[in-house]
Amino acid sequence: MPLVVFCGLPYSGKSRRAEELRGALAAEGRVVHVVDDAAVLGAEDATVYGDSVREKALRGALRAAVERRLSRHDVVILDSLNYIKGFRYELYCLARAARTPLCLVYCVRPGGLSEEPRVAGSEENRNRNVSVSWRPRAEEGGRPLEAGTGAFREPRLVDSIGNGRTQADVPKELVQEETRAPDFPALMTPEFEKSAKPVSGDFYTPELLEALALRFEAPDSRNRWDRPLFTLVGLEEPLPLAEIRAALFENRAPPPHQSTQSQPLASGNFLHQLDQITSQVLAGLMEAQKSAVPGDLLKLPGTTEHLRFTRPLTMAELSRLRRQFISYTKMHPNNENLPQLANMFLQYLSQSLH
């Protein structure tokens, strides 16, 4: 059954959206499995994302947990940051190998001073399954950023959710405080505070949030592993349940690679018949060339093709070509070609000898 991958920075509402989707699908009688960091680690631990070795082990554990639960009957929801496009591609490969559809839900905070990647033109793209690639801004307000600082020297203009004030209405004392490292948990709206799990104030430190924002690789619907893509800005926007259901239960699964497919099964006597037919062709050819002269067309029993006789052929040479033909045919067995094996072998001899 399908795989739903949630993507976004901390405090973007991923867990609340995942629980909302789980409840909606469970109400329809579907079996839903939710895989998150706490299920793998045993408890929430944000320090994992500050250690590359532990984070790599976490991604491997999440991937294994998803792979174990993927089946034809259950829906799997992966609730994690999933900010690396290479990891999202691995999840796409898992769904493709399991021959099941998948979709990506990208959660974005509606505002704040954090350096979270935004979706440009969110109002315009609100009802479309598209994503706009994001790049860190090198300048803000015409002034370059200072290296090593946790925020901009001049705070950007943001849409205030609480009171509608802009930067011009902010007192100078607040501006000076905002130019220092921001306290990210304190910037959450009441809805995000409700969705966030009860954790200590330093669960995600400002330095860790800034590092995650800098190395975040925003999903792009032009990539096959990032589509279909649903972008949700804030918690006020309703979850597009109808579109998600259509993407999960009505779309076709990604086609598997031909190199990963098993060879078609052949009947138990395929090799025996192949060996017998090629032996009969060689015996008939050795007998027909005894009375032939160069330029004759040899007609062999059991075949409709002809072989032009140009020179006497030895049994050693014909046996070598027969072994090559058998080796090639064993790699591409097909029971439908059994009646044509004699003609195919004769064509192979004609091309190899001339």
Side-chain angles (χ1 to χ4, degrees):
M1 287 296 284
L3 171 64
V4 183
V5 179
F6 278 81
C7 171
L9 288 177
Y11 309 119
S12 59
K14 298 186 303 299
S15 297
R16 181 171 175 176
R17 293 294 194 174
E19 179 60 25
E20 182 180 353
L21 179 60
R22 186 204 64 79
L25 295 178
E28 300 175 359
R30 304 183 186 275
V31 180
V32 184
H33 300 283
V34 179
V35 179
D36 55 11
D37 295 357
V40 173
L41 298 175
E44 296 279 355
D45 187 7
T47 60
V48 172
Y49 294 99
D51 186 342
S52 60
V53 177
R54 296 174 61 197
E55 183 182 354
K56 183 177 180 181
L58 172 62
R59 289 197 300 270
L62 290 172
R63 183 184 184 277
V66 170
E67 186 175 10
R68 287 194 301 268
R69 289 167 175 80
L70 276 179
S71 67
R72 295 181 178 272
H73 308 287
D74 303 340
V75 179
V76 181
I77 299 177
L78 178 58
D79 176 19
S80 186
L81 299 186
N82 302 319
Y83 66 94
I84 300 177
K85 64 181 179 181
F87 181 59
R88 295 197 296 267
Y89 177 74
E90 292 181 10
L91 297 173
Y92 167 81
C93 292
L94 284 182
R96 181 176 58 189
R99 298 187 178 184
T100 182
L102 83 161
C103 73
L104 182 65
V105 180
Y106 179 29
C107 298
V108 185
R109 288 187 56 187
L113 297 178
S114 62
E115 297 180 12
E116 178 175 354
R118 314 285 177 82
V119 178
S122 58
E123 294 297 332
E124 180 180 342
N125 298 328
R126 184 174 298 274
N127 296 323
R128 300 189 308 180
N129 300 334
V130 298
S131 173
V132 180
S133 299
W134 170 86
R135 293 182 180 178
R137 299 175 65 178
E139 295 185 357
E140 181 69 21
R143 297 187 182 181
L145 301 180
E146 266 190 21
T149 58
F152 295 104
R153 301 303 297 171
E154 291 186 4
R156 68 184 68 172
L157 290 175
V158 297
D159 296 331
S160 177
I161 301 177
N163 51 22
R165 294 189 302 172
T166 60
Q167 181 184 358
D169 302 324
V170 180
K172 179 182 289 187
E173 294 80 2
L174 293 180
V175 173
Q176 292 176 355
E177 289 188 4
E178 287 172 350
T179 56
R180 293 192 293 269
D183 186 5
F184 288 88
L187 294 172
M188 292 190 300
T189 60
E191 288 78 5
F192 280 90
E193 290 179 353
K194 293 178 184 178
S195 65
K197 297 181 181 180
V199 295
S200 59
D202 58 348
F203 183 66
Y204 281 96
T205 63
E207 294 78 10
L208 181 56
L209 284 173
E210 181 182 1
L212 289 173
L214 290 177
R215 61 181 190 247
F216 189 93
E217 296 175 337
D220 189 345
S221 60
R222 292 173 296 183
N223 300 327
R224 62 183 181 277
W225 57 87
D226 285 338
R227 64 172 179 258
L229 174 64
F230 301 94
T231 301
L232 302 177
V233 181
L235 294 176
E236 295 81 5
E237 183 177 356
L239 189 67
L241 291 175
E243 291 79 0
I244 292 178
R245 288 193 192 97
L248 296 180
F249 306 114
E250 298 178 11
N251 283 358
R252 288 186 176 182
H257 282 311
Q258 185 177 2
S259 60
T260 61
Q261 296 305 293
S262 301
Q263 293 293 339
L265 296 178
S267 61
N269 61 345
F270 178 80
L271 292 180
H272 173 71
Q273 295 184 14
L274 176 63
D275 180 79
Q276 186 177 17
I277 292 174
T278 53
S279 297
Q280 293 175 355
V281 172
L282 288 190
L285 182 57
M286 293 297 295
E287 184 67 25
Q289 71 175 353
K290 292 180 179 179
S291 58
V293 296
D296 290 350
L297 292 178
L298 301 182
K299 178 68 172 64
L300 304 181
T303 64
T304 58
E305 300 287 335
H306 297 80
L307 177 66
R308 184 173 295 277
F309 180 72
T310 57
R311 58 179 178 86
L313 303 174
T314 63
M315 179 58 72
E317 183 179 10
L318 295 176
S319 298
R320 177 178 58 83
L321 295 175
R322 173 175 171 268
R323 288 193 299 269
Q324 293 177 358
F325 178 77
I326 291 178
S327 299
Y328 175 79
T329 309
K330 285 194 301 184
M331 293 189 298
H332 305 81
N334 193 342
N335 293 329
E336 297 178 357
N337 293 333
L338 281 176
Q340 301 295 328
L341 276 179
N343 289 328
M344 293 168 60
F345 181 45
L346 199 59
Q347 291 175 3
Y348 179 78
L349 290 177
S350 177
Q351 295 175 2
S352 300
L353 294 173
H354 303 94

PDB file of all heavy atoms in Angstrom, residues 24-48:
ATOM      1  N   ALA A  24      -7.852  10.289   9.484  1.00  0.00           N
ATOM      2  CA  ALA A  24      -8.779  10.268   8.355  1.00  0.00           C
ATOM      3  C   ALA A  24      -8.743   8.928   7.634  1.00  0.00           C
ATOM      4  O   ALA A  24      -9.793   8.392   7.243  1.00  0.00           O
ATOM      5  CB  ALA A  24      -8.452  11.407   7.392  1.00  0.00           C
ATOM      6  N   LEU A  25      -7.553   8.366   7.441  1.00  0.00           N
ATOM      7  CA  LEU A  25      -7.458   7.077   6.747  1.00  0.00           C
ATOM      8  C   LEU A  25      -7.934   5.934   7.631  1.00  0.00           C
ATOM      9  O   LEU A  25      -8.550   4.974   7.139  1.00  0.00           O
ATOM     10  CB  LEU A  25      -6.012   6.841   6.309  1.00  0.00           C
ATOM     11  CG  LEU A  25      -5.453   7.811   5.264  1.00  0.00           C
ATOM     12  CD1 LEU A  25      -4.004   7.485   4.951  1.00  0.00           C
ATOM     13  CD2 LEU A  25      -6.291   7.785   3.995  1.00  0.00           C
ATOM     14  N   ALA A  26      -7.659   6.018   8.935  1.00  0.00           N
ATOM     15  CA  ALA A  26      -8.124   4.963   9.839  1.00  0.00           C
ATOM     16  C   ALA A  26      -9.640   4.956   9.937  1.00  0.00           C
ATOM     17  O   ALA A  26     -10.246   3.889  10.115  1.00  0.00           O
ATOM     18  CB  ALA A  26      -7.496   5.157  11.222  1.00  0.00           C
ATOM     19  N   ALA A  27     -10.266   6.123   9.814  1.00  0.00           N
ATOM     20  CA  ALA A  27     -11.728   6.177   9.854  1.00  0.00           C
ATOM     21  C   ALA A  27     -12.355   5.476   8.660  1.00  0.00           C
ATOM     22  O   ALA A  27     -13.520   5.077   8.723  1.00  0.00           O
ATOM     23  CB  ALA A  27     -12.190   7.642   9.916  1.00  0.00           C
ATOM     24  N   GLU A  28     -11.591   5.320   7.583  1.00  0.00           N
ATOM     25  CA  GLU A  28     -12.079   4.607   6.404  1.00  0.00           C
ATOM     26  C   GLU A  28     -11.838   3.108   6.493  1.00  0.00           C
ATOM     27  O   GLU A  28     -12.127   2.378   5.545  1.00  0.00           O
ATOM     28  CB  GLU A  28     -11.395   5.155   5.151  1.00  0.00           C
ATOM     29  CG  GLU A  28     -11.649   6.637   4.912  1.00  0.00           C
ATOM     30  CD  GLU A  28     -10.865   7.163   3.735  1.00  0.00           C
ATOM     31  OE1 GLU A  28     -10.110   6.366   3.135  1.00  0.00           O
ATOM     32  OE2 GLU A  28     -10.993   8.354   3.409  1.00  0.00           O
ATOM     33  N   GLY A  29     -11.283   2.656   7.619  1.00  0.00           N
ATOM     34  CA  GLY A  29     -11.029   1.227   7.797  1.00  0.00           C
ATOM     35  C   GLY A  29      -9.689   0.761   7.282  1.00  0.00           C
ATOM     36  O   GLY A  29      -9.472  -0.454   7.175  1.00  0.00           O
ATOM     37  N   ARG A  30      -8.788   1.671   6.999  1.00  0.00           N
ATOM     38  CA  ARG A  30      -7.464   1.290   6.506  1.00  0.00           C
ATOM     39  C   ARG A  30      -6.492   1.137   7.673  1.00  0.00           C
ATOM     40  O   ARG A  30      -6.602   1.852   8.673  1.00  0.00           O
ATOM     41  CB  ARG A  30      -6.931   2.323   5.514  1.00  0.00           C
ATOM     42  CG  ARG A  30      -7.857   2.578   4.337  1.00  0.00           C
ATOM     43  CD  ARG A  30      -7.239   3.549   3.354  1.00  0.00           C
ATOM     44  NE  ARG A  30      -8.172   3.918   2.301  1.00  0.00           N
ATOM     45  CZ  ARG A  30      -8.362   3.208   1.192  1.00  0.00           C
ATOM     46  NH1 ARG A  30      -7.675   2.089   1.008  1.00  0.00           N
ATOM     47  NH2 ARG A  30      -9.228   3.606   0.272  1.00  0.00           N
ATOM     48  N   VAL A  31      -5.558   0.219   7.522  1.00  0.00           N
ATOM     49  CA  VAL A  31      -4.498   0.028   8.514  1.00  0.00           C
ATOM     50  C   VAL A  31      -3.370   1.000   8.195  1.00  0.00           C
ATOM     51  O   VAL A  31      -2.837   0.998   7.088  1.00  0.00           O
ATOM     52  CB  VAL A  31      -3.977  -1.419   8.502  1.00  0.00           C
ATOM     53  CG1 VAL A  31      -2.877  -1.589   9.539  1.00  0.00           C
ATOM     54  CG2 VAL A  31      -5.117  -2.390   8.760  1.00  0.00           C
ATOM     55  N   VAL A  32      -3.028   1.857   9.160  1.00  0.00           N
ATOM     56  CA  VAL A  32      -2.039   2.910   8.957  1.00  0.00           C
ATOM     57  C   VAL A  32      -0.924   2.733   9.978  1.00  0.00           C
ATOM     58  O   VAL A  32      -1.186   2.582  11.176  1.00  0.00           O
ATOM     59  CB  VAL A  32      -2.672   4.310   9.084  1.00  0.00           C
ATOM     60  CG1 VAL A  32      -1.642   5.390   8.770  1.00  0.00           C
ATOM     61  CG2 VAL A  32      -3.881   4.449   8.168  1.00  0.00           C
ATOM     62  N   HIS A  33       0.319   2.748   9.512  1.00  0.00           N
ATOM     63  CA  HIS A  33       1.498   2.710  10.373  1.00  0.00           C
ATOM     64  C   HIS A  33       2.203   4.054  10.287  1.00  0.00           C
ATOM     65  O   HIS A  33       2.457   4.560   9.184  1.00  0.00           O
ATOM     66  CB  HIS A  33       2.471   1.600   9.947  1.00  0.00           C
ATOM     67  CG  HIS A  33       1.864   0.227   9.986  1.00  0.00           C
ATOM     68  ND1 HIS A  33       1.664  -0.466  11.149  1.00  0.00           N
ATOM     69  CD2 HIS A  33       1.404  -0.580   8.988  1.00  0.00           C
ATOM     70  CE1 HIS A  33       1.120  -1.643  10.892  1.00  0.00           C
ATOM     71  NE2 HIS A  33       0.954  -1.732   9.574  1.00  0.00           N
ATOM     72  N   VAL A  34       2.530   4.635  11.426  1.00  0.00           N
ATOM     73  CA  VAL A  34       3.262   5.898  11.496  1.00  0.00           C
ATOM     74  C   VAL A  34       4.660   5.608  12.007  1.00  0.00           C
ATOM     75  O   VAL A  34       4.838   5.042  13.090  1.00  0.00           O
ATOM     76  CB  VAL A  34       2.546   6.915  12.406  1.00  0.00           C
ATOM     77  CG1 VAL A  34       3.350   8.208  12.487  1.00  0.00           C
ATOM     78  CG2 VAL A  34       1.146   7.207  11.890  1.00  0.00           C
ATOM     79  N   VAL A  35       5.650   5.986  11.219  1.00  0.00           N
ATOM     80  CA  VAL A  35       7.057   5.813  11.588  1.00  0.00           C
ATOM     81  C   VAL A  35       7.648   7.195  11.818  1.00  0.00           C
ATOM     82  O   VAL A  35       7.589   8.060  10.934  1.00  0.00           O
ATOM     83  CB  VAL A  35       7.843   5.078  10.475  1.00  0.00           C
ATOM     84  CG1 VAL A  35       9.307   4.933  10.861  1.00  0.00           C
ATOM     85  CG2 VAL A  35       7.227   3.723  10.193  1.00  0.00           C
ATOM     86  N   ASP A  36       8.174   7.442  13.016  1.00  0.00           N
ATOM     87  CA  ASP A  36       8.792   8.724  13.326  1.00  0.00           C
ATOM     88  C   ASP A  36      10.078   8.501  14.099  1.00  0.00           C
ATOM     89  O   ASP A  36      10.466   7.357  14.386  1.00  0.00           O
ATOM     90  CB  ASP A  36       7.833   9.629  14.106  1.00  0.00           C
ATOM     91  CG  ASP A  36       7.297   8.959  15.364  1.00  0.00           C
ATOM     92  OD1 ASP A  36       7.824   7.894  15.735  1.00  0.00           O
ATOM     93  OD2 ASP A  36       6.361   9.503  15.981  1.00  0.00           O
ATOM     94  N   ASP A  37      10.748   9.596  14.447  1.00  0.00           N
ATOM     95  CA  ASP A  37      12.028   9.484  15.145  1.00  0.00           C
ATOM     96  C   ASP A  37      11.867   8.818  16.504  1.00  0.00           C
ATOM     97  O   ASP A  37      12.717   8.015  16.922  1.00  0.00           O
ATOM     98  CB  ASP A  37      12.651  10.872  15.322  1.00  0.00           C
ATOM     99  CG  ASP A  37      13.019  11.507  13.997  1.00  0.00           C
ATOM    100  OD1 ASP A  37      12.834  10.840  12.958  1.00  0.00           O
ATOM    101  OD2 ASP A  37      13.481  12.662  13.985  1.00  0.00           O
ATOM    102  N   ALA A  38      10.784   9.151  17.223  1.00  0.00           N
ATOM    103  CA  ALA A  38      10.588   8.580  18.547  1.00  0.00           C
ATOM    104  C   ALA A  38      10.375   7.076  18.485  1.00  0.00           C
ATOM    105  O   ALA A  38      10.823   6.330  19.361  1.00  0.00           O
ATOM    106  CB  ALA A  38       9.399   9.254  19.226  1.00  0.00           C
ATOM    107  N   ALA A  39       9.698   6.599  17.429  1.00  0.00           N
ATOM    108  CA  ALA A  39       9.468   5.160  17.300  1.00  0.00           C
ATOM    109  C   ALA A  39      10.760   4.398  17.064  1.00  0.00           C
ATOM    110  O   ALA A  39      10.897   3.241  17.464  1.00  0.00           O
ATOM    111  CB  ALA A  39       8.486   4.894  16.158  1.00  0.00           C
ATOM    112  N   VAL A  40      11.732   5.058  16.425  1.00  0.00           N
ATOM    113  CA  VAL A  40      13.012   4.406  16.137  1.00  0.00           C
ATOM    114  C   VAL A  40      13.989   4.562  17.296  1.00  0.00           C
ATOM    115  O   VAL A  40      14.668   3.609  17.695  1.00  0.00           O
ATOM    116  CB  VAL A  40      13.611   4.978  14.836  1.00  0.00           C
ATOM    117  CG1 VAL A  40      15.017   4.444  14.592  1.00  0.00           C
ATOM    118  CG2 VAL A  40      12.712   4.633  13.659  1.00  0.00           C
ATOM    119  N   LEU A  41      14.060   5.780  17.844  1.00  0.00           N
ATOM    120  CA  LEU A  41      15.016   6.060  18.920  1.00  0.00           C
ATOM    121  C   LEU A  41      14.493   5.660  20.294  1.00  0.00           C
ATOM    122  O   LEU A  41      15.288   5.529  21.230  1.00  0.00           O
ATOM    123  CB  LEU A  41      15.372   7.550  18.929  1.00  0.00           C
ATOM    124  CG  LEU A  41      16.058   8.097  17.667  1.00  0.00           C
ATOM    125  CD1 LEU A  41      16.227   9.601  17.786  1.00  0.00           C
ATOM    126  CD2 LEU A  41      17.408   7.424  17.456  1.00  0.00           C
ATOM    127  N   GLY A  42      13.180   5.519  20.433  1.00  0.00           N
ATOM    128  CA  GLY A  42      12.602   5.235  21.736  1.00  0.00           C
ATOM    129  C   GLY A  42      12.155   6.487  22.452  1.00  0.00           C
ATOM    130  O   GLY A  42      11.341   6.415  23.374  1.00  0.00           O
ATOM    131  N   ALA A  43      12.675   7.647  22.093  1.00  0.00           N
ATOM    132  CA  ALA A  43      12.296   8.930  22.685  1.00  0.00           C
ATOM    133  C   ALA A  43      12.783  10.035  21.764  1.00  0.00           C
ATOM    134  O   ALA A  43      13.687   9.840  20.953  1.00  0.00           O
ATOM    135  CB  ALA A  43      12.890   9.084  24.087  1.00  0.00           C
ATOM    136  N   GLU A  44      12.156  11.205  21.887  1.00  0.00           N
ATOM    137  CA  GLU A  44      12.576  12.356  21.091  1.00  0.00           C
ATOM    138  C   GLU A  44      13.983  12.782  21.496  1.00  0.00           C
ATOM    139  O   GLU A  44      14.288  12.906  22.677  1.00  0.00           O
ATOM    140  CB  GLU A  44      11.598  13.519  21.291  1.00  0.00           C
ATOM    141  CG  GLU A  44      10.195  13.237  20.795  1.00  0.00           C
ATOM    142  CD  GLU A  44      10.080  13.447  19.296  1.00  0.00           C
ATOM    143  OE1 GLU A  44      11.070  13.892  18.689  1.00  0.00           O
ATOM    144  OE2 GLU A  44       9.011  13.166  18.740  1.00  0.00           O
ATOM    145  N   ASP A  45      14.842  12.993  20.519  1.00  0.00           N
ATOM    146  CA  ASP A  45      16.216  13.415  20.787  1.00  0.00           C
ATOM    147  C   ASP A  45      16.693  14.261  19.620  1.00  0.00           C
ATOM    148  O   ASP A  45      17.122  13.735  18.590  1.00  0.00           O
ATOM    149  CB  ASP A  45      17.125  12.196  20.995  1.00  0.00           C
ATOM    150  CG  ASP A  45      18.524  12.595  21.435  1.00  0.00           C
ATOM    151  OD1 ASP A  45      18.744  13.800  21.705  1.00  0.00           O
ATOM    152  OD2 ASP A  45      19.404  11.717  21.502  1.00  0.00           O
ATOM    153  N   ALA A  46      16.629  15.588  19.801  1.00  0.00           N
ATOM    154  CA  ALA A  46      17.013  16.481  18.710  1.00  0.00           C
ATOM    155  C   ALA A  46      18.508  16.533  18.505  1.00  0.00           C
ATOM    156  O   ALA A  46      18.984  16.942  17.444  1.00  0.00           O
ATOM    157  CB  ALA A  46      16.492  17.898  18.983  1.00  0.00           C
ATOM    158  N   THR A  47      19.297  16.101  19.517  1.00  0.00           N
ATOM    159  CA  THR A  47      20.754  16.173  19.376  1.00  0.00           C
ATOM    160  C   THR A  47      21.274  15.236  18.295  1.00  0.00           C
ATOM    161  O   THR A  47      22.430  15.352  17.888  1.00  0.00           O
ATOM    162  CB  THR A  47      21.416  15.833  20.719  1.00  0.00           C
ATOM    163  OG1 THR A  47      21.033  14.510  21.122  1.00  0.00           O
ATOM    164  CG2 THR A  47      20.976  16.820  21.799  1.00  0.00           C
ATOM    165  N   VAL A  48      20.434  14.317  17.838  1.00  0.00           N
ATOM    166  CA  VAL A  48      20.861  13.416  16.764  1.00  0.00           C
ATOM    167  C   VAL A  48      21.229  14.208  15.522  1.00  0.00           C
ATOM    168  O   VAL A  48      22.195  13.883  14.808  1.00  0.00           O
ATOM    169  CB  VAL A  48      19.742  12.401  16.458  1.00  0.00           C
ATOM    170  CG1 VAL A  48      20.073  11.592  15.215  1.00  0.00           C
ATOM    171  CG2 VAL A  48      19.538  11.477  17.640  1.00  0.00           C
TER     172      VAL A  48
END
